[in-house]
Amino acid sequence: MTPTPYEISTDPARLDRDLIHHWLSTDAYWALGRPRATTDAAISASLNFGAYDSASAAQLAYARVITDHATFAWLCDVYVSPTARGRGLGTALATAVRDHLKPFGLRRILLATHDAHSVYAKVGFEPLAAPDQWMALNLR
C-alpha cells in the first residue's frame, strides 16, 4: 500500500496558528483582514482539522468546525495552501471532517462556499432542499 502524502489531525497542538492566520487574513475571500485575535478566538472555540505533509510535517491545509456534538455542525474556514491545491487534499479534508462527526449522529453539517461546490459534493454535501426556510442575522 502506498503511503498517503499527508496526514489529517485534530490535535490543536499541531496547528500553526501563525500560518492559519496568514492564509485566512490575506488569501481567503471570506476572512480577508480578519484580526489575529479573532482567528485565535475562533480556533480556540472550535474543533480544528490540520492537514500535514507526511514527510516534512508542514501544515498544508486547515478546516474548523463549530458544533454541539449532538445535533448540528458548521464547517468553515476550509483552506488549502496554494502549493497543495489540485491534489485532492480539500476533498480528503472534508471527508475527514464528515467521518469524524459521523458517530455523533448530527442532523446536519452546513457550510457556505462561493467556489468549491464540486469538492464538497464529492463528500455528499448538496444544495439546501429548502433555502427559503433559512435565515441569517448579519451583524456586520
Side-chain angles (χ1 to χ4, degrees):
M1 182 161 106
T2 305
T4 60
Y6 43 77
E7 175 191 357
I8 297 173
S9 171
T10 59
D11 181 357
R14 292 187 68 183
L15 295 172
D16 184 336
R17 287 176 177 239
D18 291 333
L19 182 60
I20 293 166
H21 178 256
H22 174 75
W23 283 340
L24 296 178
S25 68
T26 66
D27 192 42
Y29 64 82
W30 64 91
L32 291 175
R34 182 184 287 174
R36 175 62 189 259
T38 301
T39 299
D40 284 339
I43 290 171
S44 294
S46 300
L47 171 61
N48 301 279
F49 292 78
Y52 306 89
D53 181 278
S54 293
S56 69
Q59 189 165 350
L60 301 174
Y62 173 73
R64 70 183 182 91
V65 175
I66 303 159
T67 184
D68 59 11
H69 292 96
T71 62
F72 178 82
W74 179 264
L75 173 59
C76 55
D77 285 346
V78 179
Y79 186 91
V80 177
S81 170
T83 62
R85 291 180 187 161
R87 294 185 264 165
L89 185 52
T91 301
L93 189 56
T95 300
V97 169
R98 179 200 64 200
D99 294 350
H100 183 90
L101 294 173
K102 187 173 178 110
F104 297 108
L106 305 177
R107 181 174 177 138
R108 68 179 47 94
I109 302 169
L110 292 180
L111 63 84
T113 184
H114 286 286
D115 58 358
H117 295 81
S118 63
V119 171
Y120 298 110
K122 292 175 190 173
V123 180
F125 284 88
E126 52 192 41
L128 293 173
D132 57 317
Q133 294 179 7
W134 294 86
M135 297 179 68
L137 175 61
N138 296 306
L139 300 176
R140 288 191 205 180

